[in-house]
């Protein structure tokens, strides 16, 4: 088989990737939202309004 792996290993790898990509996308959305909230929270924190 391709790169010395049997077909069922490729199926397992594809399944893991198929399940992990949506979780990664969700995590990235939450991370960017958290970063934006932290930026908003830092604005004017010590009285140095810009």
């Amino acid at each position: 088989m391709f790169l010395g792996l049997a077909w069922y290993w490729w199926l397992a790898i594809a399944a893991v990737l198929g399940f992990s990509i949506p979780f990664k996308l969700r995590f990235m959305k939450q991370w960017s939202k958290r970063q934006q909230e932290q930026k908003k929270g830092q604005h004017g924190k010590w009285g140095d309004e810009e």
Side-chain angles (χ1 to χ4, degrees), residues 6-41:
W7 65 270
Y8 50 85
W9 286 113
W10 287 111
L11 187 64
I13 291 169
V16 168
L17 288 176
F19 284 116
S20 66
I21 290 174
F23 288 112
K24 181 179 179 181
L25 293 175
R26 185 182 304 164
F27 174 76
M28 293 302 288
K29 285 181 185 178
Q30 289 177 351
W31 183 263
S32 65
K33 183 187 254 186
R34 183 175 173 218
Q35 293 295 324
Q36 288 176 355
E37 289 175 359
Q38 284 182 350
K39 258 188 179 176
K40 287 181 184 178

